[in-house]
Amino acid sequence: QPGIVELFLGGQSAFSVTGDVCGPQTIDTGTSRVQRRANCIQSVIDNGNVGNLTGADAEAAAAAFLAGYQPAGLSLPGTFTGAPGLRPERGRSWTAGGVLTPRFIPRLQVSADYISLTDAISPTTPSQANQLCLDSDTYNDTSAITGVNTCSFYQRQADFQIAPGFASGYINLSATKIRAVNISANYNFDLPSNLGNLALSGNAYHLITYETSANGTFTDSIASDGTFARPSWEVQSRARYTKDNFFGQVVWNWRSATNLFVSGQPAGPEDWENPRFPSISVFDASIGADVTDNLRLQLT
């Protein structure tokens, strides 16, 4: 069942950059590009940007309007609220894994798990609401698909720009597909001549698939594996030395290079000047000692 916050969170003030898929760089991208263009044209007509024209004349005028339309992409004020209309989550997940402890390397343990998950309740931004609305085959009301009408999360000004005062919140995404592999290894051994103990460990998380689908069939699939928030690889290695009450530790965190995405696809130089982020390494080191049973000194 949806939680209390997901259902009844009061209007919390927020700022968010509001993208618009009706812009010329994105209107013909993504897996629902035909539906998106048709809905954007209808949105122009509904907003009154073609005057009193009707029928084919209105559609032609709307298409011409969109050819010269440039979303401002500003950070706008709004509110983030709960959604009493959320449906219960229904999902399936399974994990398959194994543990290897070879006899010829005592104290070595290696494990691997394959993870699969579908369906989730998630918060959505005005940009995501805009995309879900305009990619939907039920425009201008997506509530049957997402549990909440994402088209109502934002309004447009007279010039078709998205207006300040968005009202975003939680939605039922009909399907979220996640597939990943997690690999861990641990090995510790005593150093010769009673010099202490060295413990080595590592963990590697490989995100294979992260897709969301508003209609639940993945014909409108939006992928985000490989984005900055969801890198394909995240690795952590750790070495910890202990001798009596003294210890020292070094940790290396690494994440793979990532892309900016546009409409569920990696962006290119025509979308952004620098569409790819390099890989990132972060190192942490600490030394310390247990002075008493109740006092530890540590420098990190």
Side-chain angles (χ1 to χ4, degrees):
Q1 293 288 343
I4 291 176
V5 171
E6 294 167 333
L7 289 169
F8 304 118
L9 176 69
Q12 303 296 306
S13 299
F15 282 85
S16 179
V17 175
T18 52
D20 190 351
V21 297
C22 289
Q25 288 81 18
T26 54
I27 191 171
D28 292 316
T29 62
T31 55
S32 303
R33 57 179 65 91
V34 174
Q35 190 72 56
R36 176 181 296 180
R37 174 169 277 278
N39 289 341
C40 285
I41 287 174
Q42 187 60 49
S43 186
V44 171
I45 296 172
D46 293 345
N47 201 55
N49 296 103
V50 295
N52 296 322
L53 296 175
T54 60
D57 291 338
E59 293 179 2
F65 175 89
L66 288 170
Y69 169 63
Q70 287 292 341
L74 301 176
S75 181
L76 300 177
T79 57
F80 194 83
T81 63
L86 284 174
R87 301 185 303 271
E89 271 187 291
R90 297 180 182 272
R92 295 177 297 174
S93 65
W94 58 271
T95 301
V99 179
L100 178 67
T101 55
R103 294 181 180 178
F104 53 86
I105 309 179
R107 296 182 298 279
L108 173 64
Q109 178 175 298
V110 180
S111 64
D113 295 290
Y114 176 83
I115 305 145
S116 177
L117 167 70
T118 58
D119 240 2
I121 291 175
S122 68
T124 185
T125 65
S127 295
Q128 291 169 327
N130 171 264
Q131 182 172 322
L132 289 167
C133 171
L134 292 163
D135 285 355
S136 172
D137 56 7
T138 61
Y139 175 88
N140 191 27
D141 187 352
T142 66
S143 54
I145 297 172
T146 57
V148 183
N149 182 16
T150 60
C151 298
S152 68
F153 281 17
Y154 64 95
Q155 304 295 324
R156 293 189 182 274
Q157 301 176 148
D159 60 357
F160 200 66
Q161 297 288 346
I162 293 178
F166 67 84
S168 190
Y170 290 87
I171 63 171
N172 278 115
L173 288 175
S174 291
T176 300
K177 184 186 297 180
I178 303 171
R179 294 195 177 103
V181 174
N182 196 74
I183 305 168
S184 297
N186 299 280
Y187 183 49
N188 73 87
F189 56 93
D190 293 325
L191 298 172
S193 303
N194 197 30
L195 292 177
N197 179 268
L198 186 61
L200 306 174
S201 63
N203 190 86
Y205 177 76
H206 177 40
L207 180 60
I208 302 170
T209 301
Y210 197 110
E211 297 179 29
T212 56
S213 168
N215 63 22
T217 65
F218 289 98
T219 57
D220 62 342
S221 177
I222 299 297
S224 58
D225 46 276
T227 62
F228 189 79
R230 301 187 178 99
S232 296
W233 283 97
E234 293 181 89
V235 179
Q236 183 181 83
S237 299
R238 183 191 307 267
R240 183 177 180 88
Y241 170 78
T242 55
K243 169 65 173 172
D244 300 326
N245 294 337
F246 173 82
F247 63 88
Q249 178 174 278
V250 177
V251 180
W252 171 38
N253 292 283
W254 177 84
R255 52 187 289 160
S256 60
T258 56
N259 278 83
L260 287 170
F261 272 46
V262 174
S263 300
Q265 301 294 326
E270 67 279 3
D271 301 306
W272 299 91
E273 182 179 356
N274 298 304
R276 188 162 174 82
F277 296 108
S279 59
I280 297 173
S281 288
V282 177
F283 295 90
D284 299 311
S286 60
I287 57 173
D290 294 322
V291 181
T292 70
D293 290 341
N294 299 316
L295 177 61
R296 168 178 291 177
L297 299 179
Q298 180 171 314
L299 174 65
T300 301

